[in-house]
């Protein structure tokens, strides 16, 4: 139980320390803190697999299978980003490291608190901690991106707050002053007695609100700007895990709505938003011009797929969606980190400016190639498996039309990426000095994990997915 | 008690509609401060009838943060710019019409829901919900940064009034988190707005068009 407290205390403490330290010492503190955070994150996940759930601080903090999945993802992606961060913190580490660790802290808090009111505070905290990182370079474009980001996400998250108040209202109207009414475990217990009408309305607000954070269309407009303007390690964390935290928040409320108002409510809404997101992304991905925006829109596409999987439901749909979140987090964070290296070599984020990537940066180029293949959903990588699971769930649940339309849109996005990728990879270029090859080792490790989710599931993965299905099942 | 809380909720919606109608920026900032004070009065009223001492703390936080500090910060953002954000040919007529329609929508949506409440304050719930919806509209329709942040704060106040009337306020820890959050959002946006003004010499968000597609 102290494990959870330590997990949250480490990045918070690090953020405070890093605000005071300078130069080499800052890099050392950053490295140590990141290592400890990642280790504790994996420790929490392992402990949850053994004991099904952890609690701390009188139940205020709680980690079940769903939390553990997210904690592990945050641990892995934050570690990858932390390794690259020193290349970006550059001239102003005091404006980078403290917010980096604060960002990690707010994300971990959002997925480990049992109180849905406090989860809301933490999710809004993720925006406020990361907005300074988005504006790190302080250019006109990054300034514009930060303004859009903080305004759209704050308004979106305020909509989610209205939903949270409505849930609380349903609770209080029904059960008076029960203790800890905003705790998820309490809500879960009281769900059968909640007013269906109130809960249904609350869920619409919650979905729009947290859907904004998850980057679901049509609330996605902040996403391409913020993702493309932020320094690469921050883009990697935003795209890989921050979006998933929006989905996580929606998932916490889904079983409550399913029980109180019937499963059709959440299903219809999730399928609608999922399909809209894939459509918006496909339209952009057909002919992208900027590779960081291309990666950002691809996030909209994949989060749309996750929405579809959750909408289809059933064991396949939920397992597929959760696995897809993890696969996407791995592939996209690798790609965003590589995009940072490409950008520093070509001094541009325009696709037209990047020629002969394989010849000029052989290590970066071939990793980019592999990760793009993974992102496009090709076997033997994990995204292929999770997409098959999601579409399989669509057929199994009888949503043939939605499944076929989604497949068509995914094919358009695929074709767009397949046209674009060779333009970047091939062409004449002189070989450049690259960062030492072993610096790429963590990225290779992430790709190996993607191969494992695609080819041979590591022991425990199936159990973890089954555990999550148990948490979300109505 | 119901008469008093209903009356304050009604006044709250009136201040929101006045903010949609008024064009002068300082006047709208003053209206925001007045609205926040009204919320504090509402909290004190509920506290004195129900004996919930915690609401007095909430009222104090409202006065300090939302009625005093935030209006000052928003006022600072607006200084230097023109006192009116209107351009020729735009009147408040359409906006007021939309706001009026939203009040009707709010009633239609929330009445069946608020009927399930047994609190004496339930009569004001639709008014507070309407405040929130109109605030959200003002934020989305806002043409410059100050308009948008004012709309956001109207929305926030509406949600707050809704929570107060429907549930006598949220648990203390969450409420504290929300106050902190609003405070930081305003601080962050103030910082960004100052930079935007330096870069673009304007608060007009239509000029933010670096990022497309």
């Amino acid at each position: 139980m102290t494990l959870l407290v330590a997990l949250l205390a480490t990045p918070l403490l690090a953020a405070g320390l890093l605000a005071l330290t300078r130069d080499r010492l800052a890099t050392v503190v950053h490295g140590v803190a990141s290592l400890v955070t990642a280790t504790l994150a994996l420790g929490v996940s392992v402990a949850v697999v053994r004991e099904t759930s952890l609690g701390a601080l009188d139940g205020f903090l709680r980690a079940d299978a769903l939390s553990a999945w997210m904690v592990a993802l945050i641990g892995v992606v934050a570690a990858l980003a932390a390794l690259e961060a020193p290349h970006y913190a550059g001239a102003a580490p005091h404006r980078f490291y403290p917010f980096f660790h604060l960002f990690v802290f707010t994300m971990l808090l959002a997925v480990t608190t049992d109180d849905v009111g406090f989860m809301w505070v933490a999710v809004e905290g993720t925006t406020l901690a990361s907005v300074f990182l988005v504006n790190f370079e302080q250019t006109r474009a990054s300034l514009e991106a930060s303004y859009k980001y903080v305004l759209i996400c704050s308004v979106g998250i305020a909509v989610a707050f209205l939903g949270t108040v409505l849930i609380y209202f349903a609770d209080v109207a029904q059960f008076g002053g029960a203790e800890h009414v905003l705790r998820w475990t309490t809500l879960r217990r009281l769900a059968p007695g909640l007013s269906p009408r109130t809960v249904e309305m609350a869920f619409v607000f919650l979905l729009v609100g947290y859907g904004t954070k998850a980057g679901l269309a049509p609330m996605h407009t902040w996403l391409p700007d913020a993702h493309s303007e932020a320094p690469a390690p921050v883009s990697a964390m935003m795209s890989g895990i921050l979006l998933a935290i929006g989905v996580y928040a929606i998932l916490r409320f889904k079983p409550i709505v399913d029980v109180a108002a019937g499963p059709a409510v959440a299903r219809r809404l999730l399928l609608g938003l999922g399909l809209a997101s894939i459509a918006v992304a496909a339209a952009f991905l057909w002919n992208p011009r900027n590779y960081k925006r291309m990666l950002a829109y691809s996030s909209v596409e994949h989060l749309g797929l996750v929405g579809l999987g959750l909408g289809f439901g059933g064991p396949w749909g939920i397992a597929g969606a959760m696995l897809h979140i993890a696969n996407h987090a791995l592939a996209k964070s690798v790609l965003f980190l590589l995009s940072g290296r490409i950008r520093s070599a070509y001094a541009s984020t325009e696709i037209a400016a990047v020629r002969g990537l394989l010849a000029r940066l052989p290590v970066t180029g071939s990793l980019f190639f592999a990760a793009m293949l993974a992102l496009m959903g090709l076997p033997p990588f994990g995204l292929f498996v999770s997409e098959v699971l999601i579409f399989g769930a669509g057929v199994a649940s009888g949503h043939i039309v939605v499944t076929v339309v989604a497949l068509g849109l995914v094919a358009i996005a695929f074709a767009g990426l397949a046209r674009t990728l060779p333009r970047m990879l091939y062409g004449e270029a002189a070989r450049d000095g690259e960062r030492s090859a072993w610096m790429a080792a963590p990225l290779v490790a992430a790709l190996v994990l993607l191969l494992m989710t695609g080819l041979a599931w590591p022991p425990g993965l199936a159990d973890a997915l089954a555990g999550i299905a148990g948490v979300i099942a109505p | 008690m119901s008469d008093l809380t209903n009356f304050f909720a009604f006044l709250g919606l009136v201040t929101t509609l006045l903010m949609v109608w008024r064009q002068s920026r300082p006047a709208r900032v003053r209206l925001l401060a007045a609205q926040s004070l009204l919320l504090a009065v509402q909290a004190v009223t509920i506290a004195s009838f129900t004996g919930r001492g915690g609401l007095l703390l909430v009222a104090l936080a409202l006065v300090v943060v939302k009625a005093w500090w935030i209006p000052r910060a928003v006022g600072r953002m607006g200084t230097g710019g023109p006192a009116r954000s209107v351009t020729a040919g735009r009147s408040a007529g359409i906006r007021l019409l939309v706001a009026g329609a939203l009040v009707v929508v709010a009633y239609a949506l929330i009445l069946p829901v608020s009927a399930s409440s047994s609190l004496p304050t339930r009569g004001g719930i639709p008014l507070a919900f309407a405040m929130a919806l109109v605030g959200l509209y003002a934020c989305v329709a806002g043409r410059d940064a100050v308009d948008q942040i004012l709309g956001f704060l109207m929305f926030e106040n509406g949600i707050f009034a809704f929570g107060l009337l429907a549930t006598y306020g949220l648990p203390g820890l969450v409420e504290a988190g929300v106050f902190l959050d609003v405070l930081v959002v305003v601080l962050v946006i103030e910082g960004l707005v100052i930079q935007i003004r330096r870069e673009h010499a304007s608060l007009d968000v239509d000029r933010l068009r670096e990022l497309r597609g």
Side-chain angles (χ1 to χ4, degrees):
Chain A
M1 60 149 243
T2 45
L3 204 56
L4 274 179
V5 178
L7 173 70
L8 291 172
T10 309
L12 189 60
L13 217 66
L17 266 179
L18 284 162
L20 304 171
T21 48
R22 290 281 180 277
D23 305 325
R24 282 191 70 93
L25 185 60
T27 315
V28 173
V29 173
H30 164 73
V32 172
S34 304
L35 186 69
V36 175
T37 308
T39 316
L40 286 168
L42 295 181
V44 165
S45 313
V46 171
V48 169
V49 170
R50 289 221 186 106
E51 300 170 32
T52 61
S53 84
L54 290 181
L57 303 181
D58 189 25
F60 174 69
L61 296 180
R62 181 174 171 277
D64 55 17
L66 179 57
S67 311
W69 186 258
M70 300 297 301
V71 167
L73 277 183
I74 296 172
V76 171
V77 174
L80 284 176
L83 281 169
E84 295 273 317
H87 297 286
Y88 297 87
H94 59 283
R95 285 202 292 116
F96 192 92
Y97 291 135
F99 292 115
F100 182 97
H101 289 273
L102 204 58
F103 186 30
V104 173
F105 164 73
T106 51
M107 289 196 288
L108 286 171
L109 179 63
V111 298
T112 52
T113 174
D114 192 35
D115 188 310
V116 293
F118 224 74
M119 173 176 85
W120 179 86
V121 174
V123 173
E124 171 67 3
T126 60
T127 311
L128 298 174
S130 54
V131 64
F132 296 100
L133 296 169
V134 173
N135 193 24
F136 181 68
E137 292 174 6
Q138 297 191 323
T139 60
R140 269 173 96 120
S142 78
L143 186 60
E144 177 182 341
S146 319
Y147 177 74
K148 272 193 197 171
Y149 176 49
V150 73
L151 190 79
I152 296 176
C153 283
S154 293
V155 172
I157 214 73
V159 174
F161 186 57
L162 187 52
T164 311
V165 176
L166 272 165
I167 288 274
Y168 185 59
F169 167 67
D171 232 356
V172 175
Q174 218 69 34
F175 302 98
E179 237 193 312
H180 300 318
V181 253
L182 270 183
R183 294 256 169 105
W184 184 78
T185 31
T186 316
L187 284 174
R188 209 62 239 248
R189 203 176 59 240
L190 303 181
L194 297 179
S195 144
R197 209 166 176 147
T198 313
V199 172
E200 184 175 343
M201 195 158 123
F203 189 69
V204 174
F205 286 113
L206 289 164
L207 190 61
V208 170
Y210 288 124
T212 309
K213 283 296 277 187
L216 292 174
M219 296 85 71
H220 68 287
T221 47
W222 61 274
L223 187 152
D225 298 344
H227 284 31
S228 59
E229 290 308 314
V234 180
S235 315
M237 286 205 289
M238 290 176 87
S239 190
I241 41 186
L242 184 58
L243 303 178
I245 286 172
V247 175
Y248 167 88
I250 294 168
L251 266 179
R252 280 286 168 202
F253 288 104
K254 185 171 176 288
I256 293 155
V257 181
D258 285 349
V259 169
V265 178
R267 188 196 304 139
R268 272 200 310 262
L269 289 166
L270 281 168
L271 290 183
L273 289 185
L275 217 49
S277 307
I278 303 175
V280 164
F284 179 89
L285 290 174
W286 176 245
N287 190 15
R289 274 186 276 280
N290 175 313
Y291 55 87
K292 280 194 93 173
R293 293 180 86 79
M294 169 180 88
L295 295 177
Y297 270 100
S298 143
S299 297
V300 177
E301 180 204 347
H302 286 285
L303 268 292
L305 277 169
V306 170
L308 280 191
L310 296 174
F312 292 144
W316 280 31
I318 292 180
M322 295 318 291
L323 193 61
H324 202 66
I325 285 180
N327 287 330
H328 172 254
L330 288 170
K332 193 53 68 65
S333 47
V334 167
L335 281 165
F336 266 118
L337 292 174
L338 291 169
S339 80
R341 298 181 178 192
I342 297 171
R343 189 184 161 194
S344 69
Y346 288 85
S348 169
T349 53
E350 297 292 312
I351 286 168
V354 180
R355 288 281 170 274
L357 187 58
L358 280 175
R360 186 161 167 189
L361 306 168
V363 178
T364 302
S366 43
L367 283 175
F368 190 78
F369 188 23
M372 278 300 287
L373 293 184
L375 189 72
M376 287 153 71
L378 288 173
F381 292 103
L383 284 106
F384 174 74
V385 175
S386 45
E387 284 182 18
V388 167
L389 280 173
I390 289 170
F391 287 120
V395 176
S397 62
H399 293 93
I400 308 295
V401 179
V402 177
T403 310
V404 170
V405 172
L407 267 173
L409 291 169
V410 169
I412 293 175
F414 179 90
L417 293 179
R419 279 190 329 164
T420 309
L421 187 57
R423 289 199 277 150
M424 295 175 70
L425 291 176
Y426 303 112
E428 292 294 311
R431 191 173 171 149
D432 235 5
E434 220 176 348
R435 278 187 224 154
S436 69
W438 86 269
M439 278 298 292
L443 303 182
V444 175
L447 287 178
V448 169
L449 277 178
L450 266 179
L451 277 176
M452 284 169 80
T453 57
L455 288 174
W457 284 12
L461 184 62
D463 292 341
L465 288 171
I468 295 172
V471 172
I472 320 181
Chain B
M1 173 183 184
S2 297
D3 290 341
L4 270 180
T5 52
N6 286 355
F7 177 63
F8 290 135
F10 172 73
L11 283 185
L13 181 59
V14 169
T15 47
T16 289
L17 291 175
L18 280 175
M19 282 173 80
V20 174
W21 174 59
R22 290 300 301 259
Q23 314 256 338
S24 142
R25 193 177 283 144
R28 280 185 299 156
V29 174
R30 278 197 299 275
L31 278 166
L32 180 76
Q35 185 177 65
S36 307
L37 276 181
L38 209 57
L39 288 179
V41 173
Q42 181 81 284
V44 172
T45 310
I46 294 177
S48 60
F49 277 97
T50 60
R52 291 182 176 229
L55 281 179
L56 294 176
L57 270 180
V58 170
L60 186 69
L62 271 169
V63 172
V64 174
V65 176
K66 282 192 172 172
W68 178 71
W69 195 88
I70 287 181
R72 270 171 46 117
V74 177
R76 277 200 302 274
M77 282 182 220
T79 48
R84 288 158 175 260
S85 55
V86 287
T87 43
R90 278 224 305 250
S91 81
I94 300 290
R95 279 182 288 142
L96 269 180
L97 211 62
V98 175
L102 279 174
V103 175
V104 177
V105 170
Y107 261 86
L109 279 176
I110 204 76
L111 266 184
V113 170
S114 67
S116 68
S117 168
S118 55
L119 300 183
T121 48
R122 65 171 179 274
I125 294 176
L127 293 162
F129 192 67
M131 267 173 83
L133 287 196
V134 174
L136 180 59
Y137 161 71
C139 180
V140 175
R143 281 282 38 132
D144 71 18
V146 175
D147 276 3
Q148 289 175 343
I149 184 76
L150 273 173
F152 170 70
L153 292 166
M154 286 157 74
F155 182 37
E156 191 85 42
N157 272 354
I159 300 173
F160 188 88
F162 179 76
L164 208 53
L165 293 167
T167 67
Y168 291 166
L170 273 80
L173 204 58
V174 176
E175 206 79 274
V178 174
F179 270 108
L180 185 70
D181 161 59
V182 176
L183 200 70
V184 179
V185 168
V186 172
L187 263 178
V188 167
I189 292 194
E190 191 190 350
L192 290 174
V193 161
I194 289 170
Q195 284 187 48
I196 290 175
R197 173 133 21 78
R198 211 185 300 139
E199 292 275 336
H200 297 261
S202 162
L203 290 175
D204 195 337
V205 281
D206 277 349
R207 301 208 185 168
L208 294 178
R209 48 179 76 228
E210 204 97 335
L211 301 167
R212 282 290 146 103

